[in-house]
Amino acid sequence: MKKIVSNSIDWLDHRTGIKEVLREALYERVPGGARWRYVWGSALVVAFVTQVITGIFLWMAYSPSTQTAWESVYYIQHEMNGGWLLRGIHHFMASAMVVLLAIHFVQIVWDGAYRAPRELNFVLGLVLMLIVLGLSLTGYLLPWDQKGYWATNVGTELASQTPMAGGAIKKLAVGGSSYGHHTLTRFFALHAGVLPGALVAFLVLHLWLFRRHGLTPKEPRAGPDVLFWPDQVLKDSVAALGILVAVMGVVVYTGGAELTAPADPANNYAAARPEWYFLFLFQFLKWFPGELEVWGAFVIPGLIVGVLFLMPWIGRSRVGHFFNVALLAVLLGGAAMLTVQAIQDDTLAGSADAKFEESGLTATPENEAAFNASREFLRAKRDALHHAERVVDLAKTKGIPPTGALTLVYEDPYLQGPKLFAQNCASCHSYVDRDQPDPAIAFLVNEKPTAPNLFGVGSRKWIEGLLDPKQVAGPDYFGYEGSPFAGEGENTEMVLFVQDDCFGGVLNDAKRAEIKGALKKIAAALSCEATLPLQREQDAQDTAMIAEGRVLIEGGLADLLESGTSCTDCHSFGAQQDIGSPVLDGYMSRQWMIDFLRNPADERFYGDLNDRMPAFAPHDNPQLNQLDDQTLGLIVDWLRGDWVRAKPQAAGDAGNH
Amino acid sequence: MAEMKQDSQADISNAGKNRRSFIAILAGGLAMLGPIGAGILSFLSPLFRKAASPQVRVALLDQVPDDGRPYFFRVVADRQDAWTSYSQQKVGAVYLVRQPGDELPVAFTAKCPHAGCSVGYSAEEQKFKCPCHTSSFNIDGCRVNGDKEVSPRDMDTLEVVLNQVAASDSESVTEVLVTFVDYKTGHSEKILSE
């Protein structure tokens, strides 16, 4: 057996010279014996090989286009077996590589290993470092999520400020005048083709020169020289395994690399930050006001990199070497300081709901501005996290359409509702649950509402409030500022009906309870008209009560009240048609609400009695309307709690977001 | 004599060698030039395309009350992205502010003149604030701290035109049209991106 193997090797060696190559590769002399401090260079090679392996497998599942990039990464992350692990290793090994680079670099400078005849190898090493940073920059964009998109956007904007050729550089990087398919195809070609290719080429040169000059031994030597194989290889392999275990630990601990919501050019991500090892550059820019930006972005970083390239020549003398070491200490210390500062700036407020008055900071305008900026960042981060989870839930439950995941975002009432409400409704209406004590829920509170509170609109609870004499003239219903429907207003019939017709005069407790019970049934019947998805089960259970309620609305209530009036004395409903408005058939149903938003002054609704509510879409031609059908539908669906739910939610959760 | 002959032969062969080397390099180089040239030509194609700067309807005038407060609108326009034609895609955002008594709103692009992040509006502080490098602007678009601000210039305004459209015989609506263009970041003057 042994003979067959040995013969085969000989056969191969005669034709390829493999033995000589292996001897060259493995039997390198390690002066002074194998040492742990020599492992960093090979650790970097192993890290790079890890990136190549994981990168190729990611490549097999990744598709660079604006409709497929996020979508394919989502699929890797959330659907493919072990996809999260694969992507996690690739992501965190990239970070590890930057740390390893820093260690390798510090060691070389500290040991003066750049001195003659190794100058060129040092230069090659720096080129390799720049390539690795380039890989990191280009890789950050590829998931095409909000974080990568907006952070890279700043990067290419800065590139456009390059003196002379900035505009052209940006266009070539972006592949056009704005971000799109070709930004992805170009970044991907750089990330998976050009830069790794260049890295391999420079790495071969780097290793070739390294072998030519041998490693720089650390004096005093610990023992006799040994050969690279197996002593040093053993240490290198153990180190490689250690690094991989550490990276895997981080991947498992964090659950893998982050994937924020799909990139949206029309919706800024206010918490966009570069990857942690570029934070110092991000922070550095804050120091350069106005047109001095170019100094912060190009001139100073460019000069520093220039000096790094000259280190071997500067370091020829003892003083020069000392200068290099000192410079490196200052640069690393400065970068660390800026990084800490950037993190501190962003986390100053402590939490997204913190109040400046409670922060303990001195009340100066600067402090307040810094505090607010930090709180905005933390809010954006919280919202973005929430947003991302929602998109993933949607992708899992509804599936991603061919137009991409952004369609899911824009067609989701849960995500769009609060924004559209804030933009179109919140200047008059509030959306807040007064009974909900949880301050973490982002309600939209109008301090001086000039229209009703729309939280839970159409629900039994909401209609019961409307029919409650204590609430009907309150700020959440008709008692808002300047209301014509309450107090001194001109059209107070509804409020008076509830307060006086139903509960006015002297009523004994039994009568009061009877009327209350009747109004509860009316609320149930009316609310059933809304066909709210969250109330579907309740409506199906309470058919008897709802039927009674309908009878009461259609005139039955008149028998209970001294005034002898009921809902259908003013409103059309059921069998009682052509009486008046707002019409109660289909009250607060999807179509009723959309029609109402289109034109509240329509005779089906408030007619001439309409207060200040604008007609958002009164015309057939959409071009003439303030809001289009889709927007109206989204607002209405959100108000009605009608959106896709990943897990069944309780009715009370309608306002949670 | 024999030595001379040898030398001249060496010269001839060297001369031939040089010529062959030269032609070899030239031919090989030319052979590579074709694919490289074709590649570079297509790689540079973005430089030969102009960005569209459409006039876009962003709102109806009714949606911008003259209360001096900024209103946020998405810019929706047709867009060509390489092979995909989008009709009515959200391509950016603007703030419209109408001062009391004014008919014409002012339009600010949401893109920060510093490094291109999207500027947000804080109703609490009544300021536009960039989430990236701390630029902040007053409601009129001026930098809060003047030249000490990281932004090299005030917020960029866009050209606004009002357009009356007849909705029926008796009534008409007024559209707000904005010329949605992109300005270069990092300069103290407004320079149009090509």
Side-chain angles (χ1 to χ4, degrees), chain B residues 76-89:
Chain B
V76 176
D78 293 343
R79 178 170 165 254
Q80 185 71 30
D81 172 16
W83 55 86
T84 309
S85 287
Y86 293 100
S87 83
Q88 298 296 292
Q89 207 206 19

Side-chain angles (χ1 to χ4, degrees), chain A residues 405-440:
Chain A
L406 210 50
T407 307
L408 290 177
V409 174
Y410 276 105
E411 288 179 357
D412 182 29
Y414 179 78
L415 287 174
Q416 298 306 317
K419 288 182 198 159
L420 293 169
F421 186 89
Q423 207 175 324
N424 298 290
C425 320
S427 58
C428 301
H429 293 277
S430 280
Y431 178 86
V432 56
D433 186 358
R434 304 281 180 206
D435 301 334
Q436 174 63 265
D438 185 0

